Amino acid sequence: MSGELQNRLQQLGFFKGECDGIYGKKTAAAVRSFQKKKKQPVTGRVVDATWQALGEGCEHPVSNPADKPPENVSVLVDLEKLTLTVMEGDLLFKQYPVAAGKPSTPSPIGEWKIISKEFDWGGAFGARWMGLNVPWGNYGIHGTNRPWSIGSSVSAGCIRMFNEDVVQVFEWAPVGTKVKIKAPLTWLAGSGNRTLKKGDCGPDVVYLQLLLKETGFNPYYCDGWYGALTELTVRTYQLHTGLPISGQVDEKTRHHLEEKAGVFETQNQ
């Protein structure tokens, strides 16, 4: 949070130096200078009114409402393009800019579902919240009081939208809506070195499932859970490639999958 604050204060000319994410004396002094400029109480504490003032100039025009709400809705988030697309069946219905996770706290690549919806959390979560069923953390799609961050990879892993945009998506996407968060396969390379087996979960399991899809061995749903279907798919892959049939993914099997999927070749280009 402090890093984003420093970045915004730097954009506005109130902070000089390295944006190190530490709320030290220089940051507090910059906040006080900003508050003085905006005729706010000069406290050095960043309250809701301060965040609101920091967002001035980043207002997002309200998107034109659709003639009709979409049917058969799904959501596609592209972490490389930093866009969220509402799909109607196989067709693009509407696309929005987003902010996503920074490298140290990446957004969860994979295939998820909306499992909860909340109104007006406010603050950093903005006007709406849509929670996702990611098994290793609390992730969601939400609004923001930091509109200047849209179009950047700066969040703690959630997908941020302009408040005006998330309100629209919230109305169209019921609980149960599928949400695919995608990125180039190489982004997950090296995400884990443990031997994977039935019962495991995590980003490294998503990476395995994506590798299996890329090589034509489809585990159906890249949900981060090493379940019975993923185990069966691994066994099938091992059988067809002459690897020991264990149903587990050790370093040898993982490297074999990466070579077949062209991950190494892509990385070296």
Side-chain angles (χ1 to χ4, degrees):
M1 182 181 297
S2 293
E4 289 185 65
L5 172 64
Q6 290 168 332
N7 280 322
R8 182 57 176 163
L9 289 168
Q10 193 173 72
Q11 290 173 9
L12 296 172
F14 290 91
F15 180 79
K16 295 181 180 179
E18 181 184 358
C19 297
D20 56 8
I22 299 172
Y23 197 99
K25 292 181 179 179
K26 288 185 178 180
T27 305
V31 169
R32 288 193 292 269
S33 296
F34 176 78
Q35 290 171 329
K36 183 178 180 180
K37 176 74 173 179
K38 293 295 180 179
K39 296 181 169 56
Q40 294 184 355
V42 181
T43 63
R45 296 191 301 273
V46 183
V47 296
D48 286 345
T50 312
W51 285 116
Q52 185 176 352
L54 285 164
E56 290 174 1
C58 300
E59 290 82 2
H60 180 58
V62 178
S63 300
N64 294 327
D67 294 332
K68 64 178 183 65
E71 299 177 356
N72 190 22
V73 171
S74 62
V75 173
L76 173 65
V77 178
D78 190 319
L79 297 182
E80 190 172 33
K81 296 178 180 178
L82 291 171
T83 58
L84 181 149
T85 304
V86 175
M87 304 293 296
E88 184 171 25
D90 295 328
L91 301 176
L92 186 156
F93 183 78
K94 203 157 191 178
Q95 191 169 85
Y96 305 89
V98 299
K102 55 184 177 288
S104 60
T105 55
S107 296
I109 296 168
E111 296 171 309
W112 319 113
K113 291 181 180 180
I114 294 174
I115 57 171
S116 65
K117 297 176 67 177
E118 302 289 343
F119 289 87
D120 298 321
W121 273 19
F125 296 102
R128 298 290 187 273
W129 164 270
M130 292 174 279
L132 304 176
N133 64 331
V134 180
W136 61 83
N138 187 25
Y139 297 92
I141 300 167
H142 61 78
T144 184
N145 63 352
R146 302 164 203 176
W148 62 87
S149 70
I150 301 300
S152 304
S153 298
V154 294
S155 81
C158 287
I159 305 301
R160 294 181 191 169
M161 303 182 71
F162 287 112
N163 286 322
E164 298 84 356
D165 292 344
V166 78
V167 166
Q168 283 195 343
V169 177
F170 186 93
E171 295 300 318
W172 296 334
V175 169
T177 297
K178 292 182 178 180
V179 176
K180 181 177 181 180
I181 301 178
K182 74 169 189 175
L185 192 56
T186 51
W187 284 25
L188 280 172
S191 60
N193 297 313
R194 61 174 173 161
T195 296
L196 295 174
K197 59 186 182 301
K198 188 176 178 181
D200 288 339
C201 78
D204 50 356
V205 178
V206 174
Y207 180 46
L208 163 65
Q209 293 168 329
L210 289 169
L211 286 170
L212 289 166
K213 273 195 172 183
E214 187 68 21
T215 54
F217 293 80
N218 193 337
Y220 173 64
Y221 206 60
C222 300
D223 60 359
W225 281 106
Y226 200 117
L229 185 56
T230 299
E231 182 186 45
L232 176 61
T233 309
V234 168
R235 288 182 179 275
T236 303
Y237 180 84
Q238 290 169 333
L239 175 65
H240 278 75
T241 55
L243 293 168
I245 303 171
S246 64
Q248 299 183 6
V249 178
D250 57 9
E251 184 177 2
K252 182 177 181 180
T253 300
R254 183 171 58 252
H255 283 184
H256 197 282
L257 275 163
E258 289 174 327
E259 289 176 352
K260 287 290 186 182
V263 172
F264 296 143
E265 180 182 350
T266 304
Q267 286 179 308
N268 292 330
Q269 286 181 351

